[in-house]
Amino acid sequence: MKYREYLSAARKHVQTSEVLYDSLSIQLQQQPLNNGATKRLTLNLYYISGYVIECVLKYGIYALIGYDKDMDITKINSKGITYNNKIKHHKFSMYDELFNREYPGLILIDRKETISPEVKKLYNGWDAEIRYVYNPIPEKFKHSDEHIHVMKFNEHAKTIFKHVESNIR
């Protein structure tokens, strides 16, 4: 895999998240807030929004360090970054320091002062295993089934994507 494929994957996840966001918005207008469909859409939106962030940050890290666009992503060994020690993980905390070192100031990644505590918790707690969560919601995924916070998390994910896509090559 080449690192530019992360940007393509993020773009695909943005499109999916937009469908989920719109479906959730319609669901919220038509049904009571606490129903199974709303919860499933909210959890899926959280899951895919996290992948938007993960993929676009991974793309950004490779691009910012000037990684060879034709080299396989697993061969990275630059500035203390190897695929196994940083890139292959699903925790944003693994990327924050790397990303901020090369490109500080991005909302949610670095600038967090205007972000609600619930959305910060969603960001800090996101992990791919959210795809298996439904009932009950574990403490580490608290707020992941609360549509208002997840929708805001998704909006930040799209902002991050647009900024990285437009400004990092």
Side-chain angles (χ1 to χ4, degrees):
M1 180 175 155
K2 309 298 186 251
Y3 82 84
R4 290 180 179 242
E5 293 175 54
Y6 281 127
L7 185 61
S8 297
R11 189 175 296 113
K12 177 180 78 168
H13 296 324
V14 164
Q15 291 172 336
T16 301
S17 79
E18 289 171 345
V19 171
L20 288 168
Y21 189 101
D22 292 346
S23 296
L24 179 56
S25 296
I26 292 167
Q27 179 73 22
L28 291 169
Q29 293 170 9
Q30 297 175 350
Q31 299 292 324
L33 297 183
N34 295 322
N35 67 39
T38 299
K39 185 174 184 175
R40 285 187 295 276
L41 286 168
T42 302
L43 288 167
N44 282 322
L45 181 60
Y46 177 51
Y47 170 68
I48 204 70
S49 298
Y51 267 117
V52 169
I53 295 170
E54 179 178 325
C55 289
V56 80
L57 290 183
K58 286 180 178 182
Y59 161 80
I61 289 166
Y62 280 94
L64 288 167
I65 65 168
Y67 193 72
D68 183 340
K69 65 183 178 186
D70 296 320
M71 189 173 285
D72 184 88
I73 60 168
T74 61
K75 306 297 183 209
I76 188 170
N77 188 3
S78 177
K79 298 187 178 188
I81 305 168
T82 67
Y83 182 79
N84 286 331
N85 78 347
K86 298 289 183 184
I87 301 296
K88 78 174 184 176
H89 304 282
H90 292 293
K91 298 299 274 176
F92 297 148
S93 60
M94 300 293 282
Y95 322 130
D96 283 357
E97 180 185 335
L98 298 170
F99 200 88
N100 289 334
R101 183 173 66 203
E102 301 292 329
Y103 196 86
L106 196 57
I107 193 156
L108 199 59
I109 312 309
D110 186 22
R111 292 183 323 163
K112 298 181 183 187
E113 62 279 354
T114 61
I115 308 295
S116 74
E118 296 85 1
V119 174
K120 286 180 195 175
K121 183 162 176 65
L122 290 172
Y123 177 79
N124 293 328
W126 188 88
D127 193 312
E129 70 184 55
I130 185 63
R131 67 184 172 264
Y132 304 118
V133 171
Y134 184 73
N135 208 14
I137 302 296
E139 181 61 30
K140 81 181 252 183
F141 292 123
K142 186 176 181 179
H143 308 301
S144 63
D145 63 341
E146 297 173 15
H147 69 274
I148 194 158
H149 303 304
V150 171
M151 292 173 95
K152 192 64 175 170
F153 179 73
N154 174 258
E155 291 165 14
H156 289 308
K158 290 190 286 189
T159 298
I160 293 164
F161 170 79
K162 288 175 187 169
H163 187 86
V164 171
E165 180 186 44
S166 298
N167 296 292
I168 298 176
R169 301 270 176 232

